[in-house]
Amino acid sequence: MVSAMKTAKFAIGQVVRHRLFPFRGIIFDVDPQFANTDEWYEAIPADVRPRKDQPFYHLLAENSETEYIAYVSEQNLLEDQSGEPVRHPQIKEMFDKKPDGRYAPKRQSRH
């Protein structure tokens, strides 16, 4: 049985926030379905553990105290409409900030 691959709802460079926890971030990569370790997955409490058969997003994340990298299921993300900039220190390495506040991936030179 072949399962259909779900199209990602969010895009690289988009600012999102977590549905349950107080953090937000910029998407810098997308996995079409869960691609982390079983140990990571099992560490999530069963009552909030997301399904594996959905896109998972890598975020340059921040909360009120720190910046970090997060790996979050699509079901747990919402578009962040605050308009506030994200302060993660790696943003300038990966993104250019547009005049309208959006983040565009930097172009990589190819040799």
Side-chain angles (χ1 to χ4, degrees):
M1 176 179 218
V2 176
S3 64
M5 191 79 62
K6 186 176 178 194
T7 302
K9 178 179 176 181
F10 302 107
I12 291 176
Q14 188 169 0
V15 180
V16 292
R17 63 182 176 86
H18 197 280
R19 182 175 65 87
L20 301 173
F21 302 111
F23 71 87
R24 59 196 286 271
I26 301 171
I27 296 169
F28 70 89
D29 196 13
V30 182
D31 293 334
Q33 61 186 18
F34 181 78
N36 207 330
T37 65
D38 288 334
E39 292 80 14
W40 182 92
Y41 188 76
E42 295 299 324
I44 301 168
D47 60 331
V48 294
R49 192 175 298 148
R51 298 180 330 274
K52 287 185 175 182
D53 65 342
Q54 62 182 311
F56 275 72
Y57 299 83
H58 300 262
L59 308 179
L60 297 176
E62 67 180 24
N63 62 26
S64 62
E65 299 169 4
T66 192
E67 299 84 32
Y68 53 97
I69 302 294
Y71 191 64
V72 185
S73 66
E74 186 168 275
Q75 77 185 60
N76 283 323
L77 290 177
L78 300 168
E79 183 177 356
D80 182 277
Q81 298 180 344
S82 71
E84 294 293 319
V86 179
R87 68 178 187 270
H88 197 285
Q90 290 178 275
I91 291 170
K92 290 181 181 179
E93 296 172 26
M94 301 175 143
F95 295 98
D96 290 319
K97 189 161 183 190
K98 299 297 180 184
D100 65 2
R102 291 183 305 131
Y103 295 90
K106 285 187 181 275
R107 293 180 182 224
Q108 296 181 357
S109 61
R110 307 257 183 223
H111 297 277

